[in-house]
């Protein structure tokens, strides 16, 4: 899923361009999440969460150029696309390594072409994630950071290298969400990230952090097949 930010201090403009982006992404067959910002300062605080940022230039308080500079200083190294009703700032956009400069009103076909090229640029760096709910808040769960999922009662424990996160979900629902994403349910209680499996045998998988996870006997053959697929996908020589 592609994470996109749209920043424009004019509410109608922000809503309109967000709707156009969503329509283009649907046409391109690419799932996305879009978050709207009315302030450059607010965007800078969380710029690192996004793959693509659409940024208006003529904003009050902090203009688009300064917002872009602050985003770059905060290590945002992804795609930055400017929006403006004026062409006057085109050359300034090079200073912050902007990917493109769109002049308002933005034509739908032009926007789609720019998004298509931006996606091709970002494709190798896109991180897949699930959006999960806990205590009425939404959280991004980046899949490459997950070692394994464990079911405990009605809660899912997400085991990451830096700790454990819990939320309410059914294991069967989670298993379906992870189909084709490099995960395998090796036991009724565990779904493994195959990319973190270091060693395995008929009884267990040993992860790259040393943890040992049980493999159910009836799932071992399917587990081996999925491991082969994973290794081939990641350049393993078999």
């Amino acid at each position: 899923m592609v994470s996109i930010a749209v920043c424009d201090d004019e509410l109608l403009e922000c809503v309109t361009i967000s709707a156009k982006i969503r329509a283009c992404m649907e046409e391109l067959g690419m799932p996305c999440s879009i978050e709207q910002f009315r302030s450059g300062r607010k965007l800078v605080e969380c710029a690192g969460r996004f793959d693509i940022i659409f940024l208006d230039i003529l904003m009050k308080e902090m203009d688009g150029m300064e917002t872009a500079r602050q985003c770059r200083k905060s290590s945002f190294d992804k795609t930055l696309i400017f929006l403006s009703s004026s062409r006057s700032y085109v050359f300034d956009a090079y200073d912050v390594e902007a990917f493109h400069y769109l002049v308002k009103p933005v034509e739908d076909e032009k926007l789609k072409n720019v998004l298509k090229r931006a996606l091709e640029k970002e494709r190798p760096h896109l991180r897949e994630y699930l959006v999960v709910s806990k205590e009425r808040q939404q959280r991004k769960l980046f899949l490459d950071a997950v070692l394994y999922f464990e079911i405990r009662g009605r809660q899912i424990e997400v085991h990451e290298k830096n700790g454990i996160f819990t939320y309410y979900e059914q294991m069967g629902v989670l298993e379906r969400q992870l189909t084709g994403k490099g995960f395998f349910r090796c036991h009724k209680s565990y779904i493994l990230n195959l990319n973190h499996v270091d060693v395995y045998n008929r009884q267990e998988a040993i992860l790259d952090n040393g943890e040992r996870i049980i493999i159910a006997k009836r799932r071992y053959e399917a587990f081996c097949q999925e491991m082969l697929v994973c290794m081939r996908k990641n350049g393993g020589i078999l």
Side-chain angles (χ1 to χ4, degrees):
M1 183 178 287
V2 184
S3 185
I4 299 174
V6 177
C7 185
D8 194 315
D9 62 352
E10 294 291 337
L11 177 59
L12 183 58
E13 289 282 351
C14 197
V15 171
T16 300
I17 192 64
S18 297
K20 285 188 173 188
I21 291 169
R22 188 174 299 282
C24 288
M25 293 293 281
E26 288 177 357
E27 284 187 42
L28 294 169
M30 180 63 70
C32 70
S33 64
I34 300 175
E35 193 167 340
Q36 298 176 20
F37 294 86
R38 302 279 306 286
S39 158
R41 295 189 188 281
K42 293 287 186 183
L43 173 61
V44 170
E45 291 173 4
C46 53
R49 299 207 317 253
F50 301 102
D51 303 303
I52 301 173
I53 290 178
F54 283 84
L55 183 58
D56 183 41
I57 293 178
L58 301 175
M59 295 193 296
K60 300 170 185 176
E61 186 186 4
M62 182 189 286
D63 66 26
M65 283 297 169
E66 182 57 27
T67 299
R69 292 188 192 98
Q70 294 299 322
C71 285
R72 291 304 191 201
K73 283 182 182 178
S74 67
S75 301
F76 175 76
D77 59 355
K78 303 290 187 65
T79 299
L80 179 63
I81 299 171
F82 279 118
L83 303 162
S84 181
S85 55
S86 169
R87 298 178 183 272
S88 304
Y89 303 91
V90 170
F91 294 106
D92 294 331
Y94 289 108
D95 294 336
V96 290
E97 301 175 53
F99 178 75
H100 210 284
Y101 190 104
L102 290 168
V103 179
K104 296 179 181 179
V106 180
E107 297 176 6
D108 293 352
E109 196 61 31
K110 179 71 172 177
L111 176 61
K112 187 167 77 171
N113 288 336
V114 169
L115 272 169
K116 185 176 180 180
R117 291 195 294 111
L119 291 172
E120 289 170 355
K121 171 181 173 288
E122 288 299 331
R123 196 175 300 279
H125 311 292
L126 294 176
R127 296 179 70 192
E128 288 194 277
Y129 63 87
L130 296 178
V131 177
V132 300
S133 300
K134 182 175 182 179
E135 297 173 353
R136 299 182 182 180
Q137 292 185 331
Q138 305 294 307
R139 169 180 167 167
K140 284 183 182 177
L141 198 58
F142 287 100
L143 299 184
D144 58 1
V146 176
L147 297 169
Y148 62 95
F149 296 91
E150 181 179 4
I151 185 74
R152 283 184 177 271
R154 295 188 298 117
Q155 286 196 106
I156 298 287
E157 284 192 356
V158 185
H159 292 258
E160 301 173 310
K161 287 190 175 180
N162 60 350
I164 298 174
F165 170 77
T166 61
Y167 71 104
Y168 288 97
E169 186 56 274
Q170 296 178 27
M171 200 64 155
V173 172
L174 176 61
E175 186 177 11
R176 289 192 294 274
Q177 290 175 326
L178 295 172
T179 299
K181 300 185 184 301
F183 286 77
F184 183 78
R185 190 170 183 178
C186 62
H187 183 275
K188 66 179 182 179
S189 299
Y190 300 104
I191 297 178
L192 275 180
N193 184 340
L194 300 177
N195 292 294
H196 287 292
V197 174
D198 193 25
V199 180
Y200 64 91
N201 55 45
R202 288 185 173 275
Q203 285 77 44
E204 63 184 6
I206 303 174
L207 308 186
D208 50 19
N209 70 338
E211 288 192 70
R212 297 170 181 264
I213 305 298
I214 298 170
I215 300 175
K217 288 183 180 180
R218 65 185 182 86
R219 302 185 191 214
Y220 180 69
E221 295 301 324
F223 171 80
C224 290
Q225 292 175 13
E226 289 299 315
M227 277 301 302
L228 289 174
V229 170
C230 179
M231 287 188 282
R232 288 195 182 104
K233 184 178 179 181
N234 292 319
I237 300 173
L238 305 174

